[in-house]
Amino acid sequence: MIDEAWIETIAAQTGSERVEVPPEWAELVPATVQVVPPGVEALQGILAAANERRCPVYPVGGGTSLAWGLPGEEPGLALSLRGINGVVDYPARDMTITVRAGNTVSEVQETLARERQRLPIDVPNADTATIGGAVAANVSGPRRFGFGTFRDYVIGIGVVTADGKLARAGGRVVKNVAGYDLCKLYTGSFGSLAIIVELTFKVHPMPEKTEAVLVGCSRFEDVEAVLAGSLRSRTRPVVLELLNRSAWQELDSVDLDRDWSIAVVFEGFEEAVAWQVETFLDEVRRWTDGRARAEVVHSPNAASLVQSLASFTQRPTPVLAKLNYRPSMTVGLLEELSRLRGTWLLSAHANNGIAWLAPAAERSDGEIVDELAQLRRWAVSADGNLVVRGASFCARTGFAPWGVERGDTWLMRRLKQRFDPHGILNRGRFVDHPRAVEPRVQDQPEEPETERTATSTP
Amino acid sequence: MSATASDKVDLLRQRVRDIVGPDGVIDSPVDLVVYECDGYTLEKQRPDLVAFPRNTEQVRQLILLCNELDVPFMPRGAGTSLAGGTVPVAGGLVICFSRMNRILEINLRDRYAVVEPGVVNLWITNRLRGTGYHYAPDPSSQGACTIGGNVATNSGGPHTLKYGVTVNHVLGLTAVLPDGTAITTGGKTEDNPGYDLTGLLVGSEGTLAIVTEVIVRITRDPESYRTLLGVFDSIEDATNTISDIIGAGIVPAALEMMDRPIIRAVEEAFHFGFPLDAEAVLIIEVDGLEVGLDREVDRILELCRKNRAREVRRARDDAERAALWKSRKQAFGAIGRLASSYCTQDGVVPRTALPHMLRFISEVSKRHDVPIANVFHAGDGNIHPILLFDERDQDQVQRVLKASREILEECIRLGGSVTGEHGIGVEKINFMPKLFSPEDLAVMVAVHDLFNPDSRLSPGKMLPIGVRCLEPTHPGRRAPV
C-alpha cells in the first residue's frame, strides 16, 4: 500500500494541494490521492522524492486518456498538472505560442481564437483534457488528414525528468535543428519518459470558412472510388472520415439508408471552399457513376460535424481499438469486419489509414478478444498494428494494449530504462510492461542476447 | 594526416574489401582528399578509408568490423553539409552512400516512397513528375544532397515554410545501430505504437545510428502558384514586409530575402534581371487552389505597398518561375564572385525580430569591417548571413570569427537558435552549452550514450562530449580536441 503519510509530507513540503482521485478513475490508475503541485519547482521536488523512494507517479492530465495502456499495478501517487498552467508567451505575430502543460486544450484554443489563430488538432473533451496530456497521448482527430498531428506542431518542450530535473529541447522558433528533437520522443510517450510542463507550438491562422460534403455509399467499390478519387481530386479536403452505418446512427440518430458515410471537409478562403464543395459533388458523381449520394453541410454545422466526429474516440465503451494500416486497404478492413460475427462501430481517418472501432453492443470479453485478435492479425498484414484503449478490459482479459511487438520495441524499452531507471513514471502502463505488447511470431532478428536482462521492467 | 595507425588501416582496408569488394573502397591519399570536408571547408580531416556499401547488410558488416578493430566510422551522403557534418574528425572509416541510391518503391495510393539514403533529394520529385505528387522538403542543394543527409540534419528549404521540414515527411526508417544491430522504426503506416524513434533519429546528425532506408511521405502538387518578386529600397522595408505578411496570418509557400550584394552576385551569374540598385528583394510564393489565390496575392501586394516596395513583379509563366528559383537556390554558388572565402551562418530568430536582426547584422558588419551578404528563408526567421573574407589574412579571419559569434549570440538572446537547418556539425558544438542548460544537455547525452556508448559513430559531432569548450581560432572551426 502507498504510504499516505509520506504523500502528505511531500505535498506539504512542496506546497502542493492534495485531492482525492475521482472514483471513476479507480480502475485505471492505482492511486487514491492526486497531488497538485503549484509550480514546476514543486513538481521537481515531488519527482525527486518519489524517485528516491521508488514510488510510482501516475500523471493524470485531465483524465481523458487514462484508459490507455495497462492500469498499472503498484500503488503510487496521481500527479495533476492543473496547477502548472497559464500562457508563458504568445507572440501572435510570430504564430507561435508557449503554454504550460496544465492548461486545458480549450483554454489554449480560446487564447488563440482571440487572435484568429488555432492549433488545427481535434482533441475531444477539450474542456477537460490538458494540453500536456493531449501531447503526451498524441491525441489527434479527423483534421489530421489536412493538418497532421502534434508531432508537426510541437517546436519546443520543457519536461521534468524522473529525477526531478527541468530539461528542455527544441525552442521557440519555427525552425531549429539544434540538438536531438526530443519533442518527438515525448509526444505520444504517455508520460512514461518525463513529465511535460511546458510546450511551444507553431500555430495556424483560423480558416475563413468550414464546409462539408457527406457522401453515402452502399458498395465497396464506391467507397474506394471516393477515397482514392479524393487523392486525385482537384480539391484538397482536410478531413475524410469514413463511418459505417452503426457509427453514423450513433452520431446522428437518423438512418440515412446507406452502409457507409464519408464526411469530407473543406476549410480555407470562402470562395475556395465554395468552389471545392461544388467541384467535389461533381467528382463524386463521376467517380461512382452517380450511385453515391452526396449532400452539403454548410457552416457552422460543418464545424460541429467535425467536433462530433472527433468525439467518437471518447464514447464510453469497454474497449476502443485503433488500427493503423495502409490506406489503400480500407475496403479490405470493411470486408474483414463483415466477416466478424459481432457488429463494430467504425470511424476511420480513411486516407491516413487510421481506424477506430468500438463494439456496437454489450458482448462477452471472450468474443471481443477473439475478434480483436483477428483484426490485429489483419492490421499487421496491412503493415500496421492494433492498439486498444481499455485498461480494465486489458487487465481482465490479458489482451495486450500496445499491439504486436515491432522491430524497435526492445529499443524503446531500453530508452525507457535510460530515462527512468527506477521506473517511477507510469510504471507498467506503457510499452515497457512485458504484457503490454504482444510477442510477435519469430521472423525478425532478435534483440541482442546479452542485453535482454537490462530491458525487464524494474 | 590519418588518425589511425597504419597497420590497423591495412587490416581495415583488407577486411573492408572483403565486405564491399575491391571496387567499393577508396584508399589512395589523392582520392581521399574529396572526403576530408564538405560544404564547410574550414575544417578538414582525411578519413583512413571510404567504403561504398550496396545494402543494409554490408553496412552492418562494416560497422561490426569497425567495432572489432576499434575504428571510428561515420556516414556520408553528398557532402553538401555547411556545418562540417561529414568531416571525419577522428579519421577512420567513412561509409559513403552514393551506391545505395535506388528508389525502391513508390505508392501513390498510400502516399509514400521507399528510398535508399544515397538517393538525391530531387530524384524523388523528378520520378514523381506527372503523377501529381512531389517530395516537399527542397533544400537549395536539392540537386545534389541526398535523402540520407537530409534525414541526418532534418533539412529544410524554401518551401518548408508551408510544408514543413524533413521530419514532417519521414514515416519510417531502417537503420543500423553503432553495435551493428539493424532496426526498423515507424513504417509505411502512420501512428505505429510506442515512442517516435523515427522522429528522434531524424536530425540526429548521424550520431545515433546509420540510416539505410527511408520511407518518405509524398505530397500532392499544388494546383497553382503565384510567384512574386518584391523590390525594396531599404532592408528595413523588406523585413517589415516579411513580418507583416506572417503577422497577417498569411502562410506563403515560400518567403525568401536577398540583399544587394547577393542580388548583384546572382545577377552576374544567372542574368535573371534583378534590379542591381535595389537594397533587397523578396521572393514570395503562394500556392494552392487557383480559386482564392489572387485574393491572397492582393493582400500581399497591399502589405508590400504599405512598406514602400518600389515594385512587385509577377513570374509570368513556369519558365520564369523556374528561373527565379534557380537564381535563389544557386545563390550560394554565386558567392565566389564576391570574395575568396566565406562563412555562412544559419541562425534563427522569431519572425517579428527580423528587422532588428538585420539591423544588428549590418552594425556587426560595420563594427568589424567584414562585408556580410544576406540570402535567407525570411518566412521562417531563418537567416543566412554570409561573411566574406580572405582566408589568408589572419586579421580578417579573427574579425569574421568575432562577427559570427556576435550574430549567433544575438539569435540566442532573441529566443532563437544557432541553426535552423544546417545542423550543429563540428562548427557549432561550442554553442550548444549556450543554447541549452547542463540539464538539457544531460538528457541528450543520455540518449546519445544509449545508442552510441563508445562514440565510435560520428565522434566529435553535435554534442560537446569529450571536447573541451575552447573558443575556436578559425571561423566556425571546431574547438581543438
Side-chain angles (χ1 to χ4, degrees), chain B residues 188-209:
Chain B
K188 294 169 179 173
T189 51
E190 299 179 22
D191 282 18
N192 280 297
Y195 303 126
D196 183 5
L197 297 182
T198 306
L200 175 66
L201 292 179
V202 175
S204 62
E205 301 194 27
T207 62
L208 299 181

Side-chain angles (χ1 to χ4, degrees), chain B residues 116-132:
Chain B
E116 290 182 325
V119 165
V120 170
N121 173 296
L122 193 57
W123 293 358
I124 306 179
T125 291
N126 285 345
R127 176 73 71 86
L128 287 166
R129 193 151 292 147
T131 63

Side-chain angles (χ1 to χ4, degrees), chain A residues 162-227:
Chain A
D163 58 354
K165 305 257 171 53
L166 175 64
R168 294 172 196 277
R172 290 192 189 174
V173 282
V174 294
K175 207 166 162 193
N176 184 3
V177 296
Y180 296 132
D181 191 355
L182 302 179
C183 301
K184 302 289 178 294
L185 205 50
Y186 299 130
T187 301
S189 67
F190 283 87
S192 65
L193 295 177
I195 305 294
I196 299 172
V197 292
E198 194 179 291
L199 290 155
T200 302
F201 299 100
K202 59 175 178 183
V203 298
H204 274 202
M206 200 84 94
E208 275 179 12
K209 188 144 202 152
T210 301
E211 295 213 319
V213 173
L214 266 181
V215 183
C217 302
S218 294
R219 293 190 190 184
F220 286 140
E221 60 186 284
D222 290 346
V223 171
E224 175 58 17
V226 173
L227 295 180

Side-chain angles (χ1 to χ4, degrees), chain A residues 226-292:
Chain A
V226 173
L227 295 180
S230 65
L231 293 176
R232 297 187 311 266
S233 166
R234 294 187 62 198
T235 69
R236 296 292 188 274
V238 297
V239 169
L240 267 163
E241 196 75 358
L242 169 70
L243 284 81
N244 65 3
R245 185 187 288 240
S246 330
W248 183 261
Q249 277 170 357
E250 277 237 342
L251 188 78
D252 202 46
S253 73
V254 183
D255 190 346
L256 286 172
D257 187 32
R258 57 198 182 193
D259 292 321
W260 296 287
S261 303
I262 305 170
V264 186
V265 178
F266 302 97
E267 291 191 315
F269 282 148
E270 205 166 335
E271 63 270 39
V273 168
W275 176 85
Q276 290 186 87
V277 166
E278 286 313 309
T279 305
F280 198 80
L281 289 171
D282 265 358
E283 288 177 331
V284 167
R285 267 192 291 277
R286 221 173 47 239
W287 297 331
T288 66
D289 290 330
R291 280 186 304 271

Side-chain angles (χ1 to χ4, degrees), chain A residues 25 34 58-64 66 79-82 101-102 128-130 132-134:
Chain A
W25 297 356
Q34 263 190 91
Y58 301 103
V60 292
T64 56
L66 285 183
L79 181 69
S80 166
L81 272 282
R82 278 302 274 150
T128 318
T130 60

Side-chain angles (χ1 to χ4, degrees), chain A residues 68-70 72 136 185 187-193 401-402 412-413 416 425-437 457, chain B residues 193-196:
Chain A
W68 280 106
L70 292 171
L185 205 50
T187 301
S189 67
F190 283 87
S192 65
L193 295 177
W402 295 117
M412 292 177 188
R413 289 175 170 160
K416 161 72 175 169
L425 299 174
N426 260 334
R427 180 180 295 176
R429 302 199 67 192
F430 200 48
V431 291
D432 56 309
H433 193 287
R435 284 199 306 280
V437 180
T457 27
Chain B
Y195 303 126
D196 183 5

Side-chain angles (χ1 to χ4, degrees), chain A residues 37 39-51 57 59 79 81 84 101 157-169 186 189 191-199 416 419-420 424-426, chain B residues 439-440 443:
Chain A
V40 172
E41 259 178 60
L43 172 59
Q44 290 180 254
I46 292 168
L47 286 182
N51 194 50
V57 172
L79 181 69
L81 272 282
I84 299 174
I157 202 160
V159 300
V160 175
T161 57
D163 58 354
K165 305 257 171 53
L166 175 64
R168 294 172 196 277
Y186 299 130
S189 67
S192 65
L193 295 177
I195 305 294
I196 299 172
V197 292
E198 194 179 291
L199 290 155
K416 161 72 175 169
F419 271 75
D420 180 17
I424 65 161
L425 299 174
N426 260 334
Chain B
E439 289 78 19
D440 303 343
V443 176

